[in-house]
Amino acid sequence: MFFMQTLIRECLKGVPPEVVSAARDEHIDPHRMARAIARGRIVIPANPGRAHRICAIGEGCGIRVNVNVGTSVNRCDIDLEIRKARAALDNGADTLMDLSTGGDLREVRRRVLELDAPVGTVPVYEAVRRAGSAGDVDSDLLFRVIREHCEDGVDFLTLHCGVNLDAVDALKTDPRIMGVVSRGGAFHVAMMVERGEENPLYAEYDYLLEMLAEYDVVISLGDGMRPGCLHDAGRLAKSTEYLTLAGLAKRALPAGVQRMVEGPGHIPLDQVGYNVRMIKEMTDSAPLYLLGPLVTDIAPGYDHVTAAIGGAVACMHGADFLCMVTPSEHLALPSPEDIMEGTRVARIAAHIGDLVRKDQSRTWGRELQMAEARQRLDWDEQFRLALYGDHARRIHERDGDMETCSMCGDLCAIKIVQEIFDKKGGRE
Ligand code: SF4
C-alpha cells in the first residue's frame, strides 16, 4: 500500500523543519514536539499547498484562539469579512475559520486564504448551499467539496463525523430542549433523516482519512451534538457522540492524519473540568478545541464573557484551543467591533489558562512586572505590559493626566501606604 507523506509520518522518522520552528516558538524540545505530533497530542495545521505563519496546538503549547468570520445570506460583504479577519489577527487570533454561507463561497475562501494564518472551514455548509437543502446533499457532493477545500489550501476542516444514526437515536430517546444547535450537526441530522442513510463522513471515514492524508489537512472532529443550553448538558446525545468521536480520533493516527476534537457548547461551570478531562482521556489527549463553553444562558450580549469564564476553566483542565465568542452570539452576525472585542476577551481567557498550565518561569514574569509597576504608579510601564495597553491608557486618561487615578484620587491606597513607609521607614 502507498502511504502519503504527512507531518505525522515525517515525525515518526525525525523532526521536520516546521516542527523545529513551532517548537522554537513554544520553547519545547523539537524532538518532544515531534513525538507528541506522532502520538496525536499536538497538531500543526499547515496545508503544504499554502505558505503562512504556523502554530502548534496541543500538549505543552500555549493556548490558541480561533476567530470565526464569514458571510451569511442576510449580510454578504466579502470586504467586511476580510476587515473582520484582519481585526481578529491584529488583536491576537492565532487561526481563522471561514464559516461563510452567503454569496460566492469560493471567492470568500480565496480571500481569507490570502491572509497570513492557518485557516479552517466547515465544508458541509458549502455542500448544502450547492445542493439547495441538506436533504439533497449526497456523499459524492460532500466529498467533492471537501476535496476542493483541501485543494484550495485550507489547513483544518471541521467534519461532523460523529453525528451518526446512533446520535440521532440518542436525540429521540433522550430529547433535549434545544435539540441540535450546531449548524453542521443539524445539516447532518437532516441528511440522515431525509435520506434514510448513515452520515457519509461516518460510514466512509476511511475514505475521508485517505483524502485528508493526501493533502495533509487536519481533521477537527466537530461536536454536532453539543448542548445548546445548560439544561441539555447531561442528555445522552452529547455522550453518544463523544464515544463515537473517541474511536474516530484514534483511527486518524494510523492513517497519518492529524486530529483535533471539538468540545461542548453550553455546560454548567462545575461540569467543565469533568467534560474536558473525559474527552482528553477518551481520545488519548487529542488537542481539544472548545466552542465556549458558555456557562450561563441568560447573558445574551455578553456571551463573550460567559464563554471566556468557561474557556479559562476549561484551559485549566486541559483544553488547548478556544473559539472566540462575540457579544453578538445568539443575536446577529458580528460586526468588526464585536470581532475585536470577542478576540480580546478570548485572548485574555487563553492567557489565564496559560498562567496555570505553561512553564511558570515563562508566564509569570509579566504578571510580576505589572504588580511592581502598579505599586510604583508607573502608568507607562503598566500600559506597556498590558495585553491591550492602548485601551487601558484611554480609560486612565479620560479624567486627565494624574499621578494616581480618578478612582480614589488623593486617597490612593498605594500612595498613602508608600508615603507612610517613606516617612517612617518600612518597606523599600
Ligand atoms: S487611586 Fe485607587 S484604584 Fe487608582 S491606583 Fe490608587 S489605589 Fe488603585
Side-chain angles (χ1 to χ4, degrees):
M1 188 184 212
F2 174 69
F3 282 119
M4 298 303 303
Q5 191 60 275
T6 66
L7 191 68
I8 283 190
R9 290 179 177 139
E10 287 179 43
C11 285
L12 287 167
K13 293 186 292 192
V15 185
E18 54 270 57
V19 175
V20 174
S21 152
R24 195 185 311 119
D25 291 346
E26 293 296 334
H27 306 283
I28 294 177
D29 174 67
H31 293 274
R32 192 181 135 209
M33 182 176 277
R35 285 196 299 277
I37 292 170
R39 295 183 71 184
R41 295 179 171 189
I42 291 180
V43 298
I44 299 181
N47 186 321
R50 188 173 70 93
H52 57 75
R53 172 179 55 76
I54 60 167
C55 68
I57 304 167
E59 190 175 81
C61 302
I63 292 155
R64 303 296 180 213
V65 171
N66 174 72
V67 170
N68 294 334
V69 294
T71 58
S72 73
V73 179
N74 304 88
R75 257 178 53 196
C76 179
D77 179 340
I78 300 180
D79 290 336
L80 181 65
E81 295 311 314
I82 297 301
R83 272 219 319 279
K84 292 183 198 173
R86 289 191 194 286
L89 295 176
D90 289 346
N91 285 281
D94 297 295
T95 68
L96 298 167
M97 285 195 79
D98 171 22
L99 306 187
S100 293
T101 55
D104 182 345
L105 301 185
R106 197 152 199 183
E107 177 59 12
V108 188
R109 187 161 65 252
R110 188 189 68 73
R111 295 277 306 277
V112 174
L113 286 167
E114 286 176 350
L115 299 170
D116 185 23
V119 170
T121 57
V122 188
V124 73
Y125 296 174
E126 185 167 353
V128 171
R129 274 281 166 245
R130 286 199 205 171
S133 75
D136 290 325
V137 175
D138 61 16
S139 62
D140 281 350
L141 172 60
L142 186 52
F143 284 113
R144 196 160 61 245
V145 173
I146 292 170
R147 185 177 289 282
E148 286 173 16
H149 284 224
C150 294
E151 284 171 349
D152 287 349
V154 174
D155 304 286
F156 62 102
L157 300 177
T158 290
L159 297 164
H160 299 88
C161 309
V163 181
N164 60 9
L165 291 172
D166 288 344
V168 175
D169 276 349
L171 265 184
K172 289 178 184 163
T173 54
D174 190 15
R176 306 194 295 191
I177 297 166
M178 292 293 294
V180 176
V181 296
S182 152
R183 190 159 48 187
F187 289 153
H188 283 287
V189 169
M191 280 162 63
M192 286 185 284
V193 172
E194 290 247 343
R195 302 177 72 82
E197 295 170 357
E198 182 56 276
N199 175 356
L201 300 182
Y202 177 73
E204 299 174 65
Y205 187 63
D206 289 330
Y207 173 61
L208 174 65
L209 291 177
E210 274 178 39
M211 187 186 296
L212 298 178
E214 190 180 333
Y215 297 93
D216 204 2
V217 167
V218 173
I219 184 168
S220 188
L221 288 159
D223 58 339
M225 291 292 148
R226 65 175 177 265
C229 67
L230 264 54
H231 278 276
D232 286 345
R235 303 268 70 88
L236 200 54
K238 169 174 69 81
S239 312
T240 303
E241 185 182 38
Y242 280 132
L243 281 171
T244 306
L245 292 183
L248 298 176
K250 284 183 181 151
R251 283 167 61 190
L253 295 182
V257 175
Q258 300 182 78
R259 84 277 162 85
M260 298 189 282
V261 179
E262 297 183 10
H266 296 235
I267 47 176
L269 191 63
D270 62 348
Q271 293 181 28
V272 171
Y274 154 73
N275 273 271
V276 168
R277 291 193 302 275
M278 175 191 66
I279 298 166
K280 282 280 181 178
E281 188 177 318
M282 287 165 62
T283 61
D284 191 21
S285 297
L288 180 56
Y289 176 22
L290 289 187
L291 310 162
L294 289 107
V295 290
T296 176
D297 293 329
I298 60 165
Y302 292 95
D303 274 333
H304 56 315
V305 177
T306 67
I309 293 167
V313 173
C315 291
M316 181 172 73
H317 289 275
D320 306 286
F321 191 21
L322 297 179
C323 189
M324 169 228 54
V325 171
T326 74
S328 54
E329 180 77 9
H330 300 111
L331 302 171
L333 194 70
S335 66
E337 294 71 30
D338 292 336
I339 292 280
M340 188 189 83
E341 183 71 9
T343 305
R344 288 182 170 202
V345 171
R347 188 73 259 162
I348 292 165
H351 170 72
I352 292 168
D354 278 338
L355 284 177
V356 293
R357 63 177 240 162
K358 286 282 284 179
D359 175 1
Q360 293 198 352
S361 67
R362 298 205 172 277
T363 54
W364 278 73
R366 191 163 159 188
E367 301 284 331
L368 175 63
Q369 289 174 331
M370 177 62 99
E372 290 171 344
R374 281 200 172 129
Q375 199 281 328
R376 295 193 307 273
L377 297 172
D378 181 344
W379 296 101
D380 286 336
E381 181 66 353
Q382 290 178 53
F383 302 142
R384 188 187 71 77
L385 291 164
L387 286 174
Y388 300 102
D390 290 349
H391 179 66
R393 183 186 289 279
R394 265 196 303 278
I395 294 174
H396 174 68
E397 292 180 352
R398 69 188 173 201
D399 288 324
D401 188 13
M402 56 181 76
E403 183 193 2
T404 62
C405 78
S406 57
M407 180 77 182
C408 330
D410 62 345
L411 299 180
C412 171
I414 294 169
K415 191 163 177 252
I416 289 170
V417 172
Q418 188 59 50
E419 283 175 354
I420 287 287
F421 281 162
D422 287 348
K423 203 158 92 186
K424 301 281 185 190
R427 60 174 282 188
E428 290 299 308

